[in-house]
């Protein structure tokens, strides 16, 4: 290990060689192993040792269920290395994934357009270089002009990708929707294919944190879409043609589901006998 290479994590896990030399291995099985991850390589220690330099990984793909044994494991990373595909699952897989993203992306330089969209309005900002850092809770982008963009991993709404002119050439661009100062914004990111494939997995994992089968009814879906488009919460009953009491009940359910949060409580009041007396006296004086 070189002086610059640092160990990131060391845990038990398992791996599967799903594709070897371009040939899919339908009979592949999981092998228990020790997973040693450094800032430069991934080492899988079983009966034989498999070493994967991080620089040799072409892509971190989505699921590669080569057979039922692979499909039966809920969480793993699919690493495409040349003509091979290796599936790796850590004993604490969430921790392993985050550590892996740390090792692959921390300190890398990408191009960022922020905010590309703010409150639904395209901003026309320019691309600038940014250094990226992944933590357990967020994705941090330090822009060349000194600005810092923080994307909380549990606050990622949508992630899309496009191919267009960016930073001087035609590139793959990742568009991530998140919030900043309680306003919906989009940050656009581009860079090398490997870095983008890693970042895509990080962002998708963030989306999955928030994607749940909420089983919302038609009116609830209308309320969510109306709020997202900027309709005031107080205007929602009229906007979706529902009674105030029904909308209040929907708000309560959406709060319980962590779809919306309370920003400010309204105080509901009614007149007391003393209040009615004061009001009567005041009206009599006018």
């Amino acid at each position: 290990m070189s002086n610059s290479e640092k160990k990131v994590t060391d845990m038990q896990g398992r791996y599967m060689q799903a594709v070897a030399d371009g040939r899919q291995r339908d009979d592949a099985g999981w092998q228990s192993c020790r997973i040693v991850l450094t800032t430069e390589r991934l080492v899988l220690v079983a009966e034989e040792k498999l070493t994967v330099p991080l620089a040799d990984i072409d892509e971190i793909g989505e699921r590669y269920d080569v057979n039922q044994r692979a499909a039966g494991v809920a969480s793993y990373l699919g690493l495409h290395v040349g003509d091979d595909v290796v599936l790796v699952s850590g004993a604490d897989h969430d921790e392993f994934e985050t550590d892996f993203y740390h090792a692959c992306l921390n300190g890398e330089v990408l191009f960022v357009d922020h905010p590309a969209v703010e409150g639904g309005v395209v901003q026309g900002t320019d691309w600038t270089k940014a250094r990226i850092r992944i933590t357990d809770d967020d994705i941090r982008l330090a822009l060349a002009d000194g600005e810092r963009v923080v994307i909380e991993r549990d606050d990622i709404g949508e992630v899309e990708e496009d191919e267009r002119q960016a930073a001087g050439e035609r590139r793959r661009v990742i568009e991530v929707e998140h919030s900043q100062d309680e306003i919906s914004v989009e940050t656009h990111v581009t860079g090398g294919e490997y870095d983008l494939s890693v970042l895509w997995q990080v962002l998708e994992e963030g989306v999955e944190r928030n994607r749940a089968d909420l089983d919302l009814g038609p009116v609830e879906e209308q309320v969510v879409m109306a709020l997202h488009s900027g309709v005031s919460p107080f205007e929602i009953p009229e906007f979706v043609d529902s009674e105030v009491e029904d909308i209040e009940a929907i708000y309560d359910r959406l709060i319980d589901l962590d779809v919306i949060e309370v920003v400010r409580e309204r105080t509901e009041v009614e007149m007391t006998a003393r209040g009615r007396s004061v009001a009567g006296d005041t009206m009599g004086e006018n």
Side-chain angles (χ1 to χ4, degrees), residues 236-266:
I236 292 293
E238 182 179 356
F239 190 84
V240 302
D241 193 24
S242 294
E243 297 296 327
V244 172
E245 292 79 6
D246 295 335
I247 297 301
E248 292 288 348
I250 289 175
Y251 285 163
D252 288 341
R253 180 164 186 261
L254 295 178
I255 290 169
D256 289 341
L257 292 172
D258 199 28
V259 174
I260 61 174
E261 60 184 358
V262 176
V263 176
R264 182 175 62 252
E265 293 275 8
R266 286 188 299 172

Side-chain angles (χ1 to χ4, degrees), residues 168-228:
E169 60 183 87
R170 192 162 186 82
R171 298 171 178 265
R172 175 189 176 192
V173 175
I174 294 178
E175 305 170 350
V176 52
E177 186 274 330
H178 58 106
S179 66
Q180 179 174 285
D181 299 327
E182 300 182 3
I183 299 174
S184 173
V185 300
E186 283 186 20
T187 299
H188 295 179
V189 184
T190 189
E193 278 301 316
Y194 171 68
D195 290 342
L196 291 184
S197 72
V198 178
L199 180 60
W200 179 265
Q201 293 301 313
V202 179
L203 296 171
E204 276 285 284
E205 189 268 343
V207 172
E208 288 299 325
R209 291 187 183 189
N210 299 315
R211 184 183 293 156
D213 184 9
L214 301 178
D215 193 26
L216 299 181
V219 178
E220 291 171 329
E221 290 180 348
Q222 289 181 51
V223 169
V224 171
M225 292 305 298
L227 290 170
H228 182 68

Side-chain angles (χ1 to χ4, degrees), residues 115-146:
V117 179
E118 183 173 352
V121 180
V122 176
Q123 299 299 297
T125 51
D126 295 326
W127 290 93
T128 184
K129 288 184 178 180
R131 195 171 295 277
I132 188 170
R133 178 174 175 77
I134 308 295
T135 74
D136 292 340
D137 300 319
D138 50 44
I139 300 162
R140 302 178 185 181
L141 299 164
L143 278 55
D145 61 5

Side-chain angles (χ1 to χ4, degrees), residues 93-110:
H93 191 71
D94 288 342
E95 178 183 335
F96 169 65
E97 273 195 343
T98 297
D99 287 339
F100 188 83
Y101 300 147
H102 287 180
C104 293
L105 275 184
N106 279 4
E108 293 298 310
V109 175
L110 303 173

